[in-house]
Amino acid sequence: MPTTFNTLMFWSDEELAQLKGSTILGKIGKAEAEADYREKVLPLITRRPDLFPPAAIATHYSLERYHINGSRILSRSFHVEKWSGKDQNQESDEDSEEPKDMDVDDSGSSEDDDEEREDTADVGMTPMADMLNARHGCNNARLFYEEGVLKMISTKRILKGEQIWNTYGEPPNSDLVRRYGHVDFVPMEDGTFGNPSDVVEISGDIAVKLVDAEELEQRVDFFLEEGGEDVFVIEAGDDTLPEDLLVFLRLLLLSPPEWRKAKEKESLPKPKPDAESLKLARRVLEERIKEYPTTIEEDDALLQQDTPQNLRSAVIVRLGEKKILRKAMQIVDSTLEELAAKGGKDKKRKRGTKEDDGAGKKSRR
C-alpha cells in the first residue's frame, strides 16, 4: 500500500490556492477528518493503552497515519452490492450479455443527506483490482462478482505489452485529483486536450446578486421547496444550458403579477430560454469565470512549461472548468442571435436587473 499521496488532502496551502475558483476546494473534507480524529479516534486510543501503547501513538496512530489510511481506502475501495441470493451477473436488460460489474466507491463525493448515502458496509477493499490504473475511455477490464467470488475480466482484446486499464467511472478531473491524485488529459472532440467528463458548478447566489426583484428571498425558497437545487452543474458535453438553471433564472425575473400567479399555482416557469433569461445567464457565467485568478490563455501557456505535478494538475482542473464556462457563453450568444433573427417574437416584460455596480439582496441558504 502507498505511503505517500498526491491527493488534495496532502496538498500545501500554496498548492490548493492554485485551485481557486473550483468548487472542489469545498469538498476535500480535511477539517472534518481532523475533527473526527481529535474528537473520536484519539480519545478512544488513549482510553485503551493496553491496545494502543502510548509510545506508539506518534508513529502508528498519529493524525498523519489517520490521513494516510483514510486516503488508502478512499482511493482503492469498491462499492459491492449486497448479495441477494440470485445470479447477480444477469442484467435486468435481457439483451445485455455482460455480467454485473462492481462500481468504484464514490461515497466520498456525495453531497446527499446522511440517510441517502450508501451503507459503508457495502464498500470493500479488493486486492489486485486496485493495482490497475484508469484513464478516460481506455478501460479494457472490469471487476465482476458472484457470491463469494470476484473476477477481473477483460472487456476487450488486450495485446501483448498493452496496459490493462480499469475504470473509475470516468469522473471529472476535480474528483480524480481529490480522490486519486491525478487528472486525465486526453484528446477531445474539438482537437484540444482535457477530460470529456469535466463539469463546472455554479452557485445560485451569483444570479441572486444580479437581480432586483420583489420577494427575492421567497422566490429562492420556493424554488428549493419545489425540488430545485442551489447549485447548477454544466457538463463538458452539454450543448444547451441546464434546464434547472433556466427555470431558476426565469423565476427570478418574473414580474410581480407573474410571481404571485406562480406561487398560487405552485408552478415553476418552464425551461424555455428567452432574451431576458439568456442575458442574465450570460452575466452569471461572466461572474462565475471571474472567480478564477487566471485566464484560459494563461493556463494554456502554463501547460507548455515544465511545472511540478500538483501545479500542473491544478491548471488542468481549472482550465477544463473555464472552457466549459466559455462554451456555455458561446451557446448563450448563439441562442440570443437566433432569437433576434426570428424578429424578437418573445414578448418583452418589465424585469429589473441590477447594474454591475448595484448591491443585491442575498438569498437565504
Side-chain angles (χ1 to χ4, degrees):
M1 298 291 281
T3 57
T4 60
F5 292 85
N6 290 317
T7 53
L8 299 185
M9 187 73 74
F10 298 91
W11 283 28
S12 67
D13 290 341
E14 292 76 14
E15 290 170 329
L16 290 174
Q18 298 298 322
L19 286 169
K20 182 180 179 181
S22 176
T23 54
I24 196 62
L25 286 175
K27 302 178 183 180
I28 301 173
K30 186 173 184 178
E32 294 83 351
E34 294 185 351
D36 277 347
Y37 174 80
R38 292 191 301 269
E39 298 168 9
K40 300 176 182 178
V41 178
L42 190 57
L44 178 63
I45 290 174
T46 54
R47 283 200 302 267
R48 294 300 304 269
D50 56 319
L51 298 176
F52 307 101
I57 292 178
T59 53
H60 296 298
Y61 313 114
S62 65
L63 176 60
E64 180 185 6
R65 300 298 301 176
Y66 182 71
H67 279 315
I68 289 174
N69 285 303
S71 295
R72 286 171 172 168
I73 295 172
L74 179 65
S75 63
R76 283 159 172 75
S77 57
F78 287 80
H79 173 77
V80 186
E81 293 182 10
K82 292 181 179 179
W83 188 259
S84 64
K86 302 177 182 179
D87 184 0
Q88 290 191 235
N89 283 344
Q90 297 299 320
E91 297 281 356
S92 58
D93 184 352
E94 295 180 357
D95 295 331
S96 175
E97 298 181 355
E98 290 190 2
K100 184 76 173 179
D101 62 287
M102 291 174 62
D103 295 322
V104 176
D105 170 40
D106 195 32
S107 60
S109 63
S110 174
E111 296 297 322
D112 295 336
D113 294 333
D114 290 341
E115 63 269 17
E116 295 178 354
R117 291 178 180 170
E118 66 181 346
D119 186 350
T120 54
D122 297 339
V123 178
M125 302 291 284
T126 309
M128 168 58 190
D130 61 15
M131 295 173 60
L132 302 181
N133 291 324
R135 187 170 65 187
H136 189 284
C138 294
N139 61 290
N140 51 22
R142 284 178 179 266
L143 190 65
F144 299 91
Y145 67 104
E146 300 172 358
E147 184 177 13
V149 179
L150 300 175
K151 298 178 180 180
M152 182 61 75
I153 303 176
S154 62
T155 58
K156 299 177 183 178
R157 180 177 176 81
I158 303 174
L159 300 179
K160 182 179 180 180
E162 285 186 335
Q163 183 167 179
I164 302 175
W165 297 97
N166 192 12
T167 177
Y168 293 163
E170 298 186 348
N173 276 334
S174 54
D175 275 340
L176 278 177
V177 73
R178 180 183 68 86
R179 292 173 58 85
Y180 307 110
H182 74 271
V183 294
D184 279 344
F185 202 56
V186 299
M188 305 275 281
E189 290 185 358
D190 61 2
T192 63
F193 286 81
N195 184 336
S197 294
D198 271 345
V199 301
V200 65
E201 296 181 346
I202 301 176
S203 170
D205 283 336
I206 297 177
V208 171
K209 293 175 182 178
L210 295 173
V211 175
D212 185 12
E214 180 183 282
E215 297 185 346
L216 190 56
E217 186 173 314
Q218 289 84 346
R219 298 185 191 213
V220 175
D221 290 340
F222 176 64
F223 180 76
L224 298 176
E225 290 165 2
E226 291 298 311
E229 300 288 343
D230 57 1
V231 174
F232 306 95
V233 179
I234 305 179
E235 300 180 2
D238 286 350
D239 292 321
T240 60
L241 292 180
E243 290 190 351
D244 56 346
L245 175 59
L246 283 172
V247 170
F248 183 66
L249 298 181
R250 296 195 71 193
L251 176 64
L252 297 183
L253 291 170
L254 290 178
S255 65
E258 291 170 331
W259 160 234
R260 288 191 290 271
K261 185 177 180 180
K263 281 196 301 182
E264 291 172 2
K265 292 188 174 183
E266 297 184 348
S267 176
L268 292 170
K270 294 182 179 179
K272 179 182 178 181
D274 56 29
E276 294 300 316
S277 61
L278 288 171
K279 289 176 182 177
L280 177 56
R282 188 61 156 83
R283 295 182 64 193
V284 169
L285 294 169
E286 289 171 353
E287 292 300 314
R288 178 65 180 88
I289 204 168
K290 287 179 184 177
E291 295 178 359
Y292 299 90
T294 57
T295 66
I296 290 176
E297 294 71 24
E298 289 170 338
D299 285 347
D300 279 330
L302 279 172
L303 292 180
Q304 303 305 314
Q305 304 174 16
D306 185 15
T307 56
Q309 179 180 343
N310 290 350
L311 173 58
R312 182 176 177 81
S313 294
V315 172
I316 291 174
V317 168
R318 69 193 191 207
L319 177 61
E321 295 180 358
K322 283 182 284 189
K323 285 185 175 180
I324 296 174
L325 291 169
R326 182 176 65 181
K327 179 182 176 182
M329 286 188 276
Q330 293 169 345
I331 291 171
V332 169
D333 292 343
S334 62
T335 307
L336 281 170
E337 290 175 2
E338 291 174 4
L339 289 177
K342 292 178 181 179
K345 292 182 180 180
D346 292 313
K347 296 180 179 180
K348 294 184 178 179
R349 294 173 291 189
K350 290 184 179 180
R351 296 162 176 159
T353 57
K354 295 182 181 160
E355 298 301 327
D356 291 341
D357 57 350
K361 297 178 183 177
K362 189 173 182 180
S363 67
R364 184 173 72 237
R365 288 288 180 266

